[in-house]
Amino acid sequence: MNREMLSDKPKGHTRILFNLMPHEMSKLVDVTTSPVSDRIAVMNEFREVGYEVNVIFAPVIYYEAWLDGWKPLYYGILRPKMYFGNRIFSR
């Protein structure tokens, strides 16, 4: 993740995508990128400076109890005051 992009002024003309997967699996297969927790922490900052922020839950890797890793990530993202487009999502 390039935090220097936060100083840009995209004015809603630029989309940024955050790929997310369970932290434990990410440590094994997503080793060249920022930790998932860091990506989640800056999402609203990117939205606030004018980026269209999108989340992709991928890759999905099936293993024993794979769903147990996804549930906390998915529901942790969908918390009050998380913005989706021009709407605020709340549970």
Side-chain angles (χ1 to χ4, degrees):
M1 151 183 41
N2 185 352
R3 291 185 66 91
E4 292 175 14
M5 293 173 62
L6 289 170
S7 63
D8 294 342
K9 302 294 180 211
K11 299 178 184 168
H13 299 290
T14 305
R15 177 180 302 145
I16 188 165
L17 303 171
F18 287 92
N19 277 52
L20 301 178
M21 64 188 311
H23 178 71
E24 292 302 316
M25 185 57 68
S26 177
K27 290 190 319 185
L28 298 173
V29 300
D30 206 13
V31 296
T32 61
T33 61
S34 301
V36 170
S37 57
D38 291 355
R39 292 179 237 172
I40 293 169
V42 300
M43 282 184 205
N44 277 331
E45 290 179 50
F46 277 91
R47 188 206 49 82
E48 288 167 2
V49 298
Y51 286 96
E52 177 185 326
V53 174
N54 291 268
V55 176
I56 300 170
F57 292 100
V60 175
I61 300 171
Y62 296 99
Y63 55 93
E64 188 174 329
W66 68 275
L67 197 53
D68 293 337
W70 283 97
K71 285 179 184 177
L73 175 64
Y74 182 76
Y75 291 112
I77 290 292
L78 300 179
R79 64 187 184 279
K81 297 188 180 180
M82 186 65 172
Y83 292 83
F84 290 91
N86 60 357
R87 291 176 281 153
I88 300 174
F89 177 88
S90 60
R91 295 195 275 174

